[in-house]
């Protein structure tokens, strides 16, 4: 038997217990799991979704982690500070650790992995990215022979759900967000999801794996969320043949720099990520020699996340004596966001002045931005402002931003309402 301590009995912890309590037909190693204790915040809290023996519950997770019987610690508490202390304590005491904690791994992953390595134990975190999608283990092992050149992912289910509903039902961001909060797809404070922080954490973890254990400081990844996107942009994008998605991007440039970013983007309908809808996640990898591989599935939820957590435990039980290898201290230079080259979508309002299109073309041209199309989509208000949608060819970000600054100063332009990146070289 193997003695396991579970820290946290919320959404994910309850899913893990459900698997432990019903091992029939699953990996036979699960029959060897002996749950010695479950750390919670409150022992008296009602737990209708869990048939856990009350005697197993404890409010002293530190004592549980240090219990000499415990061989593997599963951390599904959430937040950063307390789990960091609990996991450090567990690793220093020579215990294997499984965690689903992306916020922790994105900030302290390399330190904790190095600690696990020095202690000769496992630290596994499959559930931290992609929920139920096997992603981290396949990237480490099944694709270990490959050199990854790029990763493109939809890694946040909440924003994908919101954007999908806005697209399919023609509704506003605010109305879909309120519904998502009511249905439990979005938190009461949705900032972590809608401002792109969650996707930024997941990208930091994925990039550190595909680029071989690089230290990726979280704040060095440029991030933009979906709060500025209106139902009008979704409709205009659809008319042009694009879906709008929040994407996480990791490219290795020819010069050896890392291009990492999280932002909404227009994704052509011909691209597989444009079909990833609702709360599903998908990650597309380009690697040598395998070519393109796509991972797809449920990115969160009790069952999918517990599936990944328990898979980590099974892996530890299968090969307890061969924990992590690698150097967790190397760094790669990052490509400055100003130097990133993409196409852009821009929506603006122009006065009904003679020569306004010419002025726009001149301002873009002066900054070396060439245009793929300019379309007038609507006329607004008593001033008869023309709403224009522009798609550029591939340009450097700094050139596009410079052009936008000039355009904002043109007397014929009333407002520049939104600029988004467009995937693909066009
Ligand atoms: N939910 C998902 O779909 C999902 C997907 C991927 C990854 N994750 C990650 O999985 C982790 C857990 O998420 P969750 O959704 O299961 O969270 P949750 O439902 O909020 O559950 C958190 C659990 O931790 C316990 N807890 C909180 N503070 C504690 C403390 N100081 N000491 C001991 N126990 C404490 C809580 O105890 P009480 O029950 O007594 O309040 C609760 O049982 C997070 O890191 C999250 O990012 C979640």
């Amino acid at each position: 038997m193997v003695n396991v301590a579970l820290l946290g009995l919320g959404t994910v912890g309850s899913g893990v217990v459900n698997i432990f309590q019903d091992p029939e037909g699953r990996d036979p190693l699960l029959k060897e799991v002996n749950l010695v204790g479950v750390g919670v915040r409150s022992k008296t809290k009602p737990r209708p979704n869990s048939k856990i023996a009350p005697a197993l519950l404890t409010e002293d997770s530190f004592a549980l982690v240090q219990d000499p019987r415990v061989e593997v610690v599963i951390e599904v508490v959430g937040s950063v500070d307390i789990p960091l202390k609990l996991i450090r304590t567990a690793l220093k005491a020579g215990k294997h650790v499984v965690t689903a904690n992306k916020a922790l791994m994105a900030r302290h992953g390399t330190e904790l992995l190095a600690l696990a390595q020095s202690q000769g134990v496992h630290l596994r975190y499959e559930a931290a990215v992609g929920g139920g999608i096997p992603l981290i283990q396949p990237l480490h092992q099944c694709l270990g022979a490959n050199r990854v050149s790029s990763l493109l992912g939809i890694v946040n289910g909440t924003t994908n759900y919101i954007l999908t509903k806005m697209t399919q039902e023609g509704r506003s961001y605010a109305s879909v967000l309120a519904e998502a909060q009511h249905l439990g797809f979005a938190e009461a404070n949705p900032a972590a999801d809608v401002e792109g922080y969650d996707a930024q954490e997941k990208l930091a973890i994925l990039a550190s794996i595909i680029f071989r254990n690089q230290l990726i400081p979280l704040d060095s990844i440029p991030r933009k969320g979906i709060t500025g996107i209106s139902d009008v942009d979704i409709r205009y994008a659809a008319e042009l043949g694009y879906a709008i998605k929040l994407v996480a991007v990791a490219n290795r440039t020819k010069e050896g720099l890392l291009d990492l970013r999280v932002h909404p983007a227009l994704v052509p309908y011909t691209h597989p990520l444009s079909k990833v809808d609702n709360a599903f996640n998908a990650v597309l990898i380009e690697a040598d020699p395998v070519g393109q591989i796509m991972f797809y599935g449920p990115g969160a939820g009790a069952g999918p996340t517990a599936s990944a957590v328990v898979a980590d435990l099974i892996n530890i039980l299968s090969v307890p004596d061969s924990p992590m290898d690698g150097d967790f201290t190397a760094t790669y230079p990052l490509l400055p966001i100003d130097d990133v080259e993409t196409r852009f979508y821009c929506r603006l309002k122009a006065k009904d002045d003679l020569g306004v299109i010419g002025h726009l073309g001149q301002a873009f041209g002066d900054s070396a931005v060439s245009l793929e199309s300019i379309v007038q989509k609507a006329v607004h208000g008593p001033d008869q402002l023309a709403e224009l949608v522009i798609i550029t060819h591939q340009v450097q970000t700094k050139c596009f931003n410079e052009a936008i600054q000039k355009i904002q100063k043109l007397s014929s332009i009333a407002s520049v309402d939104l600029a988004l990146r467009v995937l693909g070289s066009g």
Side-chain angles (χ1 to χ4, degrees), residues 6-15 38-47 58-62 75-79 82-83 86 99-104 126-132 187 198 201-202 299-306 309:
L6 177 65
L7 310 179
L9 189 58
T11 305
V12 181
S14 304
V38 180
V40 291
R41 196 167 22 202
S42 162
K43 276 168 60 169
T44 52
K45 179 173 162 179
R47 302 187 187 273
T58 173
E59 291 173 8
D60 190 347
S61 289
F62 282 94
E75 183 275 312
V76 284
V77 169
S79 79
I82 290 174
L86 287 166
T99 178
N101 195 327
K102 65 211 128 197
L104 177 71
E126 183 63 65
V129 184
E187 302 281 337
D198 174 85
E201 290 169 355
K202 290 168 177 169
T305 312
V309 168

Side-chain angles (χ1 to χ4, degrees), residues 64-353:
L64 177 58
V65 163
Q66 291 172 85
D67 181 331
R69 292 173 300 161
V70 169
E71 296 159 272
V72 183
V73 172
I74 298 178
E75 183 275 312
V76 284
V77 169
S79 79
V80 175
D81 293 345
I82 290 174
L84 176 61
K85 288 186 190 137
L86 287 166
I87 291 178
R88 275 189 189 137
T89 306
L91 294 173
K92 283 179 183 162
K95 295 160 195 226
H96 304 295
V97 172
V98 174
T99 178
N101 195 327
K102 65 211 128 197
L104 177 71
M105 289 306 291
R107 287 168 180 80
H108 301 284
T110 47
E111 172 217 319
L112 293 173
L113 288 163
L115 177 58
Q117 189 181 45
S118 70
Q119 292 292 100
V121 292
H122 289 259
L123 168 59
R124 291 185 170 262
Y125 51 103
E126 183 63 65
V129 184
I133 310 172
L135 200 49
I136 289 174
Q137 177 81 354
L139 286 175
H140 266 306
Q141 292 196 328
C142 315
L143 294 176
N146 286 267
R147 200 177 301 121
V148 178
S149 54
S150 74
L151 175 151
L152 181 64
I154 293 174
V155 293
N156 181 268
T158 302
T159 46
N160 207 41
Y161 174 87
I162 293 171
L163 292 170
T164 302
K165 289 283 164 196
M166 287 174 73
T167 306
Q168 293 176 348
E169 297 172 14
R171 288 162 56 201
S172 71
Y173 168 79
S175 126
V176 176
L177 173 63
E179 182 193 78
Q181 287 170 318
H182 179 68
L183 295 173
F185 283 112
E187 302 281 337
N189 177 358
D193 293 315
V194 300
E195 300 291 359
Y197 291 104
D198 174 85
Q200 187 189 39
E201 290 169 355
K202 290 168 177 169
L203 180 61
I205 294 171
L206 288 175
S208 80
I209 296 169
I210 60 173
F211 300 128
R212 304 285 165 222
N213 303 321
Q214 304 305 314
L215 275 171
I216 312 255
L218 206 48
D219 294 342
S220 68
I221 301 180
R223 169 196 53 77
K224 184 174 174 181
I226 66 163
T227 50
I229 294 172
S230 72
D231 44 330
V232 171
D233 297 299
I234 301 257
R235 180 155 51 84
Y236 291 168
E239 287 166 10
L240 291 163
Y242 299 91
I244 298 184
K245 300 285 184 189
L246 182 72
V247 293
V249 179
N251 293 315
R252 195 200 306 255
T253 69
K254 287 197 280 297
E255 297 75 28
L257 303 174
L258 297 190
D259 164 21
L260 306 179
R261 50 201 151 90
V262 167
H263 53 73
L266 274 70
V267 182
Y269 281 143
T270 49
H271 193 287
L273 285 194
S274 72
K275 310 285 188 294
V276 176
D277 283 336
N278 297 311
F280 279 87
N281 284 195
V283 173
L284 197 65
I285 305 271
E286 182 98 38
D288 175 50
V290 74
Q292 267 198 353
I293 296 219
M294 182 152 140
F295 299 86
Y296 171 84
T305 312
S307 157
V309 168
V310 176
D312 276 346
L313 175 63
I314 291 168
N315 274 320
I316 292 172
L317 301 186
S318 312
V319 283
D321 297 329
S322 62
M324 24 267 310
D325 51 11
D327 166 14
F328 301 105
T329 56
T331 54
Y332 251 103
L334 298 185
L335 180 70
I337 191 72
D338 268 356
D339 295 346
V340 170
E341 287 189 18
T342 61
R343 292 190 294 156
F344 283 90
Y345 158 100
C346 177
R347 175 167 59 82
L348 51 83
K349 290 196 191 70
K351 294 178 190 157
D352 188 16
D353 290 350

